[in-house]
Every structure is written in C-alpha cells, then in structure tokens.
Amino acid sequence: MSRWCGFSMWRYPTRAVLREVRVLRGVLRAAPAGDTVKSRSHCSRCSVPGKKWTTPSGFDTGIKTFNSLTKQKEPLIVEREGVASWYSCGPTVYDHAHLGHACSYVRFDILQRILSRLFGITVIHAMVITDIDDKIIKRSWEEDVSPATIARTYEDEFKKDMLSLKVIPPAVYLRVTENVHHIIAFIEGIVKNGHAYATTEGDVYFDIKSIGDRYGRFVGAVESQVEPGGSHKRDQRDFALWKRSKPQEPYWESPWGRGRPGWHIECSTIASCVFGSQLDIHSGGIDLAFPHHENEIAQSEAYHQCGQWANYFLHSGHLHLKGSAEKMSKSLKNYITIKDFLQSYSANEFRMFCLLAKYRSGIDYSDDNMLEARASLATVSTFVHDVQAYMKGQLQCPPVQEAFLWERLAETKSSIMKALADDFDTPRAVGTLLNLVYYGNCQLRPVSTSDGAARSPAVFGAVVSYITDILDVFGIDLLHSKEADVASTVGSLQNVVEQLTRFRSEVRAFALAPRQDPLSTGTPGKPGLHPDRIPLLKACDTLRDELAPLGIVIKDRGATSTWEITEGKQGRRGQRIHNEVQEPSS
C-alpha cells in the first residue's frame, strides 16, 4: 500500500466527533416546533421548479435579513422554535490565516451572538475544515512533509487565531479527511438519482444539464468561472465530485477507483451529516457564492431530492487594502496575518472596525480606519471610567437631568433592537450607542466645587450597564479586556500610581487654596492664588504631562484627580486599563 493511501495517512472519524454530531442532530430533532407563519409550502420536502425561493414554514425570529438566494431582505424563519441550524465553510488549512478570513469569521460571529443573545435563538453552528486539497498537497511537497502535517499545523493556528479574536468556536469542527466514507456514499446517492456520472478515467462529475434551469442562483454574485477538468466532461460547467488520484497524491479507495473528494462535495456531505436535508442558514464570504455555494445547492438538492435545501445564504463582503480593488488573499500575496495584526491592534479594536460597516458590504482596511475604531472604543471607555468616578463621588458635576437620561436610554434600547432586526445593521446600532455616550457626557461636566446638589448615580449606572452589556453581545468586553489582563500583573505599579496621585492631589489642593488680599493673583473682589504656591501647580502639571507618554494618565477634576494606566507608550494603544481610583476629595 502506498504511503499516501488514505487508510495509512488519515483516520476515519473519531468516536468523539461522531458523538458530537449525533448529539447535535438529536437537539435539532427534539426542539419543539415553533408557531408557524404563512408559507406556500415546506421547502425541504417540495419539488420547486426553476430558481424560485419558497418562504420556509416555522418560527419567525423577528429579524429581516438579506438572503443571497432572493437578493433582497426576507423574514428570517427557522424550522424549530428557538433553534437555528447554521453551517459555514471553514478554511483550507495550508497557510496562516489573514485579516480577510478574520473579517468574515468575526462578522458572522457577531451575527450569531446577536441572534442568540438578543433574539433568543440557540445557534447550532457546524464548520468544516478542508484538510485535503491541491494547495495542501503542493505545500507538503515544498516542505517535504505529509499533507496531514501541513493541515494539522495550520488548523491549530487557525483555531488559536479565532480564539484570539474572541470568535466563539462552532458546536463542532469536522474535517474532510475524517468524512471521506460519508462523501463517497453521498456521491453514490447523487449518481443513483441520475445527477452525476463517472468517467472511464476514474473521475465523477455532477451533471448540470440534469437539473435544467435550477442552476445559476448566484451567477453574477462574482465573476463566473468554469472549473477545470478532464476531456470526458459532458458540459464545461460540470464540476468534480470525485477526482482520481495522480502519482504521489493521497488517495482513498472508492467504487470509481483510487482518488479523493472534489472541493464542493465536502460541504454538502458534512452539512447533511449534521443537519440532514434541512438547513436554516449557510454563511461564507461573497467570493464563495459562485461556484462553491452554487454547486453545494445543486449537489444537496440532487441528493435529497428537494426543492430548497438551505433557506438562507448570508454572504460577507470582501476586505480590501485601502486603495486596492482586489480582495485580501493569500494567492495575491497582499495579506496581513492575524498574528501580525494583533501586534499593533487589539481584538476589541478589530471588532469595532467590523461593527462600523455592514457585514455584507466590502470594507477597506487602513490605519486610518483602525484608528477610527480605536477612537470610538476610547470614547466609550473614557465615558465608562468617568461614570465610575462620578458614582464614587470623585467627580463633581452640576445637577443631572435624570428624566432626560432615562428617556435617552429607553430610546437607545429600542433603536438598537430595531437596527439589529433590520439585517443586523451594526453601524446604525453603534452610532446610536455613541449618541447615548454623547448625551451622558453632556451631563458629566466637572466643576471645581460641589454645591451640595443631589447626585444621580443610578441613571448613570443603568446607562453604563447597558453599554457594557450590548458591547459584550458584540464580543467587546471593556471590563475584562486583554489590556485589563495585562494590567492585573502589575499591581505594584498601580499601588505606586495610586499613592503618587494622592500625594499630587494634596499638593494641588494646597496650591489652589484661595486667598483674598491685595497680594492675591485673582481679579478684584474675587479670591486668587497664593503667588508663592503657583510653582507647585506648575510642578504638578509637569508631572502629569511627563507621565502621560509612559502610559499613566492623570486627569484633574477641579481640586481632585483621577488616574488610569494605558498599555504601552503614548499613542501605541488607545484602550485603557480600567483601574478604579480610590483617592479622596481634597
């Protein structure tokens, strides 16, 4: 047996993975049926001619989403109440993941979080890892290692990169190589149903003419392309389900001879293994719409003999380097790896960058756009810090218009839900959230001395709680960020800064103590400063200014001061470590 033979190089599915798949399918079957909405028919069992989309029956989530199948917004209806089956195409693991991958996976992670946290839908997400492919084989030859070694190395890196970006892992990852026997059986079913044919060369192709005008739902989504293949194809559009192995390539035994799966068949098979003949949502980058997702639909509906296999296709826009019309990709060598990116920016900042554009729109990557995302986060972070100081009595303000803030909070909650129910409109939701921060900042105008007016910590507490909760839904954790984790290791520095700030505040309070006599520096009839104490104020200002580049930010609020530590040198990171200031009022 060749050293490349599938039985020596790859293992069949592990019991653990199979157990996970069985559990997932059991959850889907056991979920209670939802309140039905009006529909023409149940799509997964009907035979719909042509390319017409049929409204599913089931449970209306209350969301309208852009469905690539209809090229317009449709009510998002899932088969089971409170449960959504979601399949996404995973990476081909032959190289490092880059920001183009990150953008798509983070965007759909945000959508899944919104769906589950705000609309009460449990998302059962399955993803396939393509661990056998022409690119993987080529890389293995270049590095003189097995394809399995290449695949496992970059699969592990991909998973670590996703965790570093706070992407919630799918319920199950499945590998192509562990499902080849399922893929072979799936292909046999398509052949049996009259929609595929084997060649004398040992390849198996899907017969596009056999499905008539049902092919071509996504033509025009991206530039059309014909898949290369042997001379025995009946139609140039026909695509490979099974590819005969070439010399020195990995192979598995099959009814058609030694070979390996085509690219498209893996997703149809594995999604069907987990979810059966009915899939609520399928996601991926817009570059996958044609031919990959087009071919998935053809295969799946040919196998299941149904008119509508997946009810919704959600596609994310490309990530471009600013000034370039080309998407970021490995083949174009114009990519930034996730690891390199995280040397300069944080996961929170990248998520904000993604939130500021609609998930299905193209997005330009540039330092300017990243700095905009950083500034938006810093605005929120600073507001939360100021509110905490106010609630502790460390920030004196004029009387707060409580009723006004309560109204703005209620309006914000309603507006954000409406925005997210409208095709997950995160830019509008973030804009609404920043407006709430603006209204809150207008009420936090520091004054030097308190007039004894009643304070209003409750309304600010409610505002901050909502802001941190909604950002947490988006995967942004202001209170337990990466920067906060770093800060937790430098408790000694925090204590030093605390004592330094306390001492400086006492010096400033002494220097600011008013006097009213002919020698004072104030205007006639108003108290002024002791002239001999002015150098103390200047020294305090100099200390504050010199500490800022070192990452220690002191803010003077009248006679009192607050502090916080930022990571790194001035300007390197805009997000702050949220230390609590314990200094007393002077």
Side-chain angles (χ1 to χ4, degrees), residues 164-166 341-342 345-355 370 373-374 377 471 474-484 575-576 578:
S164 70
L165 292 172
K166 305 179 184 178
F341 169 83
L342 290 175
Y345 299 100
S346 70
N348 279 347
E349 289 165 347
F350 187 72
R351 282 184 170 264
M352 180 58 74
F353 167 74
C354 292
L355 288 164
M370 284 305 307
R374 173 179 286 177
L377 268 180
L471 288 179
F474 297 150
I476 295 174
D477 188 349
L478 291 178
L479 301 180
H480 301 91
S481 64
K482 177 181 176 182
E483 290 79 7
Q575 292 208 68
R576 291 180 167 81
H578 305 293

Side-chain angles (χ1 to χ4, degrees), residues 283-301:
S283 65
I286 187 62
D287 54 312
L288 296 177
F290 191 90
H292 185 52
H293 291 163
E294 186 75 53
N295 293 348
E296 278 189 61
I297 293 172
Q299 295 164 159
S300 301
E301 293 179 359

Side-chain angles (χ1 to χ4, degrees), residues 96-117:
H96 304 284
H98 58 67
L99 282 191
H101 302 127
C103 191
S104 182
Y105 291 121
V106 167
R107 282 169 149 181
F108 286 123
D109 177 72
I110 290 171
L111 266 56
Q112 291 177 359
R113 288 168 177 266
I114 291 169
L115 198 56
S116 61
R117 293 277 299 275

Side-chain angles (χ1 to χ4, degrees), residues 143 181 202 209 236 247 468 470 521 527 535:
E143 299 191 11
H181 58 303
K209 286 184 179 178
Q236 285 302 304
T468 53
I470 204 69
T521 58

Side-chain angles (χ1 to χ4, degrees), residues 222-287:
V222 291
E223 185 179 353
S224 299
Q225 51 187 306
V226 175
E227 185 173 295
S231 59
H232 291 75
K233 290 169 64 172
R234 296 175 182 174
D235 188 297
Q236 285 302 304
R237 298 173 300 166
D238 293 352
F239 55 90
L241 304 181
W242 185 259
K243 301 166 67 174
R244 72 187 187 284
S245 63
K246 299 175 184 177
Q248 299 304 308
E249 283 189 349
Y251 66 81
W252 287 260
E253 301 290 348
S254 80
W256 316 285
R258 292 175 173 179
R260 55 189 172 87
W263 174 33
H264 315 295
I265 194 65
E266 65 190 46
C267 291
S268 294
T269 301
I270 294 175
S272 296
C273 284
V274 179
F275 299 118
S277 61
Q278 176 67 65
L279 177 63
D280 291 320
I281 301 169
H282 194 311
S283 65
I286 187 62
D287 54 312

Side-chain angles (χ1 to χ4, degrees), residues 113-124:
R113 288 168 177 266
I114 291 169
L115 198 56
S116 61
R117 293 277 299 275
L118 297 181
F119 292 89
I121 304 298
T122 298
V123 176
I124 302 180

